[in-house]
């Protein structure tokens, strides 16, 4: 008995070693198989289920080859609000004219001062919070601004997948097609498009490389680079890949105007991207969007200059592109893909912010919201200052002051209003470039103050006519 027991003890270490070796061998084999599978996945980032061409507009077809990206794209239907941005779902009763059952909340109702700022312009009729890309076409098609103003086909540049429509209208030449669509009435041009911005607007179907498909951006960048001493700049030829990760967004998230009777879409960058440069450009062109209904001032409506404002901020100077924050990379198996669920970084802090900033989500959100709180407070002071100026000029008009007498005050209103609107229309609530946004608002307040002084000096110099 004792001898057999001793023999078993001598065999046990050998058996244990053998069993352990077997387990290790199985684990190593499994690891090698997993590595092989992942490498195979990485070498084959997608399966070519369908053939994509330069005329494949429907993103659902692209989604057959790129299901993960398409899944993110479809998620832009969500309506999630941050403290200052995004939209909450507001129910409405559909009508034959407007079949939407849900809209975003009205900014005009939230701040009626906007109606005074835009008195006499379509934005004083309807202006709502921005929703995701999924809604960009319908929300423009059915806005009440379409009722009070005859909008041109130019508007579709930033609200629809227009690349294929440009090609068809221009017989293969997107610039010619772009020019033709600009001149169409909106209702006529709307029949030519079926989707909001889609895969084909940012990607070449054969290589998936990023590309700019909007002639206005191509021309705007050429004008900007020419002013900086670089002639014949071609964004699709000369931009780096990282630059393109901002430029494809900048095709639409920009300030613009419609030039001449042909309503040609122009990005006013020949003098630079700062608000001062853009206003100087408009002044040289003697351009105005409309005449203010209360004051008679020739005023401007800023659009959505995220690209211009981002260019003034620390992220742009650090080489961070729009997609790094709004479409950050994420892992899907062995693949690393851009998240096509385009949204506020505050709704995706881990992927959007913490890859660079090693602080907690709560700390990062606090930093962002502190900037936005301060910006919004300064924005309100600028808005109050503009309201006071408009009221003073309106009183002077009612008192019989002439256009010549009011020219200086009206010019200050033009400046104050455009500077304020430049950051009001920019959708980061100051975050893209906090110092620049504060400077612009400070200048707006000062312009309003100078405009009020100009009005009051009229009363000192000559009594108003009765």
């Amino acid at each position: 008995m004792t001898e057999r027991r001793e023999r078993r003890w001598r065999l046990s270490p050998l058996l244990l070693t053998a069993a352990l070796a077997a387990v290790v061998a199985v684990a190593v084999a499994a690891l090698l198989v997993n590595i092989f599978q992942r490498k195979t996945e990485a070498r084959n980032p997608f399966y070519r289920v369908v053939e994509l061409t330069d005329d494949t507009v429907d993103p659902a077809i692209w989604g057959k080859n790129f299901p993960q990206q398409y899944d993110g794209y479809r998620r832009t239907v969500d309506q999630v609000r941050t403290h200052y941005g995004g939209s909450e779902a507001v129910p409405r009763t559909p009508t034959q004219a407007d079949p939407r059952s849900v809209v975003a909340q009205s900014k005009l109702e939230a701040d009626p001062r906007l109606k005074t700022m835009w008195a006499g312009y379509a934005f004083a009729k309807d202006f709502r919070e921005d929703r995701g890309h999924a809604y960009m076409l319908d929300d423009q098609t059915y806005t009440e601004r379409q009722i009070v103003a005859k909008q041109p086909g130019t508007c579709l540049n930033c609200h629809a997948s227009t690349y294929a429509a440009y090609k068809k209208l221009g017989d293969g030449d997107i610039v010619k097609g772009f020019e033709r669509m600009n001149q169409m009435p909106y209702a006529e041009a709307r029949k030519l498009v079926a989707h909001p911005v889609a895969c084909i607007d940012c990607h070449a179907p054969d290589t998936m490389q990023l590309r700019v498909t909007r002639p206005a951006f191509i021309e705007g960048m050429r004008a900007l680079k020419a002013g900086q001493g670089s002639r014949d700049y071609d964004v699709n030829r000369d931009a780096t890949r990282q630059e393109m990760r901002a430029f494809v967004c900048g095709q639409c998230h920009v300030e613009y105007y419609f030039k001449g009777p042909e309503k040609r879409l122009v990005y006013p960058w020949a003098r630079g991207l700062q608000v001062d440069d853009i206003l100087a450009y408009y002044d040289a062109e003697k351009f105005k969007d409309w005449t203010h209904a209360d004051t008679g001032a020739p005023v401007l409506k800023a659009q959505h200059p995220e690209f211009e404002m981002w260019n003034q901020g620390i992220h742009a100077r650090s080489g961070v592109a729009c997609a790094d924050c709004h479409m950050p990379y994420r892992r899907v198996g062995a693949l690393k893909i851009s998240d096509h669920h385009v949204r506020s970084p505050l709704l995706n802090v881990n992927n959007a912010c913490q890859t660079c900033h090693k602080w907690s989500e709560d700390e990062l959100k606090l930093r962002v919201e502190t900037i936005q709180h301060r910006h919004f407070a300064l924005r309100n002071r600028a808005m109050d200052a503009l309201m006071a100026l408009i009221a003073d000029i309106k009183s002077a008009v009612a008192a019989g002051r002439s256009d010549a007498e009011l020219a200086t005050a009206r010019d200050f209103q033009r400046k104050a209003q455009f500077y304020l609107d430049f950051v009001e229309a920019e959708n980061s609530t100051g975050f893209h470039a906090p110092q620049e946004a504060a400077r612009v608002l400070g200048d707006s307040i000062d312009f309003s103050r100078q405009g009020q002084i100009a009005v009051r000096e009229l009363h000192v110099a000559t009594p108003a006519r009765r």
Side-chain angles (χ1 to χ4, degrees):
M1 288 288 293
T2 302
E3 186 177 345
R4 284 199 300 270
R5 191 179 297 116
E6 288 177 352
R7 194 177 297 125
R8 283 200 302 271
W9 280 109
R10 285 196 298 270
L11 291 173
S12 293
L14 294 175
L15 293 172
L16 183 61
T17 302
L20 183 62
V23 170
V24 170
V26 171
V28 170
L31 177 62
L32 291 174
V33 169
N34 182 265
I35 291 172
F36 176 77
Q37 289 175 337
R38 295 306 190 196
K39 285 186 175 181
T40 302
E41 289 178 12
R43 283 196 299 267
N44 299 282
F46 71 94
Y47 295 97
R48 193 179 297 277
V49 178
V50 296
E51 192 70 26
L52 300 175
T53 73
D54 211 34
D55 298 311
T56 308
V57 180
D58 188 349
I61 298 176
W62 290 64
K64 294 180 184 297
N65 289 352
F66 302 95
Q68 298 293 344
Q69 290 88 341
Y70 180 60
D71 179 66
Y73 171 87
R74 293 177 65 199
R75 290 174 185 268
T76 61
V77 297
D78 66 351
Q79 289 189 241
V80 182
R81 183 167 176 78
T82 63
H83 193 89
Y84 287 107
S87 62
E88 297 171 352
V90 177
R92 70 176 298 277
T93 302
T95 64
Q96 188 172 0
D98 183 353
R100 294 176 299 172
S101 59
V102 173
V103 294
Q105 62 270 36
S106 171
K107 285 190 174 183
L108 299 177
E109 293 176 6
D111 189 347
R113 293 174 297 181
L114 293 169
K115 294 182 180 181
T116 300
M117 181 165 75
W118 297 324
Y121 200 55
F123 273 82
K125 179 66 174 177
D126 186 19
F127 181 53
R128 297 180 177 274
E129 291 281 2
D130 293 315
R131 298 200 284 175
H133 283 172
Y135 302 106
M136 61 194 299
L137 182 54
D138 281 350
D139 283 353
Q140 185 192 53
T141 300
Y142 299 114
T143 176
E144 291 181 56
R145 295 195 296 273
Q146 296 283 7
I147 299 172
V148 299
K150 293 182 179 180
Q151 296 190 338
T154 319
C155 297
L156 289 168
N157 180 85
C158 294
H159 286 267
S161 180
T162 56
Y163 173 71
Y166 287 159
K167 276 186 60 183
K168 186 175 181 179
L169 283 172
D171 295 323
D173 187 329
I174 64 169
V175 175
K176 290 182 180 178
F178 161 73
E179 292 171 341
R180 287 193 62 189
M181 185 178 286
N182 288 340
Q183 299 178 50
M184 290 181 173
Y186 182 87
E188 180 182 344
R190 176 64 180 82
K191 297 174 184 177
L192 305 177
V193 297
H195 301 280
V197 65
C199 316
I200 197 171
D201 297 293
C202 302
H203 292 280
D206 51 349
T207 64
M208 297 302 122
Q209 291 295 313
L210 293 173
R211 63 177 178 179
V212 171
T213 58
R214 300 303 196 263
F217 187 89
I218 295 170
E219 295 169 359
M221 287 300 296
R222 184 179 297 127
L224 175 65
K225 294 294 185 178
Q228 298 170 347
S230 178
R231 302 291 175 182
D232 192 32
Y233 180 82
D234 184 333
V235 62
N236 285 312
R237 180 192 66 203
D238 301 327
T240 66
R241 183 179 182 279
Q242 182 65 0
E243 286 176 326
M244 290 296 282
R245 297 181 78 239
F247 290 170
V248 292
C249 305
Q251 295 184 92
C252 297
H253 290 268
V254 292
E255 163 63 3
Y256 63 84
Y257 79 110
F258 301 160
K259 185 174 183 178
E262 65 274 14
K263 302 296 183 183
R264 185 185 182 89
L265 183 66
V266 174
Y267 297 171
W269 298 342
R271 295 169 181 255
L273 294 176
Q274 287 186 294
V275 63
D276 319 69
D277 304 319
I278 294 171
L279 180 62
Y281 174 92
Y282 285 144
D283 287 345
E285 292 288 313
K286 294 181 172 54
F287 175 77
K288 67 175 181 179
D289 280 301
W290 88 103
T291 299
H292 196 274
D294 293 337
T295 67
V299 283
L300 300 162
K301 173 69 186 79
Q303 304 308 324
H304 25 66
E306 286 85 35
F307 181 75
E308 292 89 342
M309 190 64 78
W310 163 81
N311 265 282
Q312 314 309 316
I314 186 63
H315 286 93
R317 294 197 299 274
S318 301
V320 178
C322 311
D324 290 319
C325 303
H326 294 276
M327 302 175 63
Y329 289 118
R330 66 186 183 95
R331 282 283 178 187
V332 180
L335 302 180
K336 184 176 81 170
I337 67 171
S338 289
D339 187 350
H340 282 60
H341 183 189
V342 184
R343 52 183 161 160
S344 167
L346 287 176
L347 301 174
N348 191 20
V349 171
N350 180 256
N351 287 337
C353 308
Q354 289 182 314
T355 52
C356 297
H357 302 287
K358 306 303 180 182
W359 290 275
S360 69
E361 288 198 20
D362 288 343
E363 170 64 18
L364 292 172
K365 286 182 179 179
L366 178 63
R367 293 185 183 193
V368 173
E369 290 181 353
T370 297
I371 290 170
Q372 293 182 324
H373 291 333
R374 291 171 178 170
H375 171 88
F376 195 69
L378 188 57
R379 172 261 189 200
N380 280 332
R381 294 173 68 179
M383 186 69 75
D384 285 340
L386 178 62
M387 294 301 103
L389 172 58
I390 289 174
D392 284 355
I393 299 177
K394 184 177 179 179
S395 296
V397 171
R401 294 294 181 178
S402 68
D403 290 343
E405 290 175 307
L406 292 172
T408 299
R410 284 170 171 165
D411 186 60
F412 278 122
Q413 181 192 342
R414 174 184 170 90
K415 292 183 173 76
Q417 188 159 321
F418 185 63
Y419 275 51
L420 170 57
D421 206 6
F422 201 81
V423 295
E424 173 68 20
E426 202 274 332
N427 285 300
S428 73
T429 317
F431 181 76
H432 283 152
Q435 292 177 320
E436 174 68 1
R439 178 193 74 83
V440 172
L441 288 173
D443 283 348
S444 175
I445 293 170
D446 186 57
F447 291 141
S448 291
R449 179 187 64 84
Q450 292 188 61
Q452 286 187 284
I453 291 173
V455 173
R456 290 168 187 175
E457 285 179 346
L458 290 178
H459 297 306
V460 174
T462 56
R465 294 185 295 274
R466 296 190 183 276

